């Protein structure tokens, strides 16, 4: 990963969920944390899971990482991820998936 970073490649840990190893996050030095769809979904419908979402976001912020909620599809899910302090969200609530080159510029 360090060699890739030296070339300007950014690293992102995706689908962060209960099974991810915190020590791996610290040692590998990711640039972002992306929360799993399941965590986002469960936080809105399963009792007690919103606490897990808030704790995971707090951990990301404690590591100075931006936290992205993936799979935000309902207003309830949006409310949960905003309340948890997520920095960014993506999902069908914001827009449907579009083909590459459909008028959007690639992210640098």
């Amino acid at each position: 990963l360090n060699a890739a970073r030296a070339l300007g490649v950014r690293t992102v840990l995706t689908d962060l969920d209960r099974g991810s190893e915190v020590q791996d996050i610290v040692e590998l030095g990711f640039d972002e944390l992306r929360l799993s769809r399941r965590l986002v979904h469960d936080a809105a419908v399963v009792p007690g899971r919103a606490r897990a979402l808030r704790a995971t976001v707090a951990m990301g912020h404690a590591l100075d990482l931006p936290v992205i909620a993936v799979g935000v599809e309902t207003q309830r899910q949006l409310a949960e991820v905003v309340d948890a302090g997520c920095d960014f969200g993506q999902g069908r609530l914001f827009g449907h998936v579009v083909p590459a080159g459909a008028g959007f510029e690639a992210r640098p």
Side-chain angles (χ1 to χ4, degrees), residues 41-96:
H41 173 269
D42 287 357
V45 297
V46 178
R49 294 288 168 81
R51 288 190 317 257
L53 175 67
R54 288 191 301 272
T56 305
V57 172
M59 178 191 66
H61 289 160
L63 297 171
D64 294 323
L65 299 174
V67 179
I68 298 100
V70 175
V72 180
E73 298 182 352
T74 68
Q75 288 293 330
R76 175 78 189 264
Q77 290 170 343
L78 177 60
E80 291 292 348
V81 300
V82 168
D83 184 53
C86 287
D87 301 296
F88 300 96
Q90 67 184 60
R92 290 195 173 146
L93 183 63
F94 306 112
H96 293 283

Side-chain angles (χ1 to χ4, degrees), residues 3-82:
R5 273 191 210 96
L7 296 172
V9 174
R10 292 180 45 85
T11 56
V12 177
L13 177 61
T14 63
D15 294 330
L16 181 64
D17 204 345
R18 296 179 301 271
S20 297
E21 294 288 339
V22 175
Q23 192 60 35
D24 290 342
I25 297 167
V26 173
E27 289 177 4
L28 295 174
F30 289 98
D31 297 307
E32 302 174 355
L33 294 182
R34 290 183 190 243
L35 306 177
S36 72
R37 292 176 186 274
R38 184 176 75 197
L39 184 58
V40 170
H41 173 269
D42 287 357
V45 297
V46 178
R49 294 288 168 81
R51 288 190 317 257
L53 175 67
R54 288 191 301 272
T56 305
V57 172
M59 178 191 66
H61 289 160
L63 297 171
D64 294 323
L65 299 174
V67 179
I68 298 100
V70 175
V72 180
E73 298 182 352
T74 68
Q75 288 293 330
R76 175 78 189 264
Q77 290 170 343
L78 177 60
E80 291 292 348
V81 300
V82 168

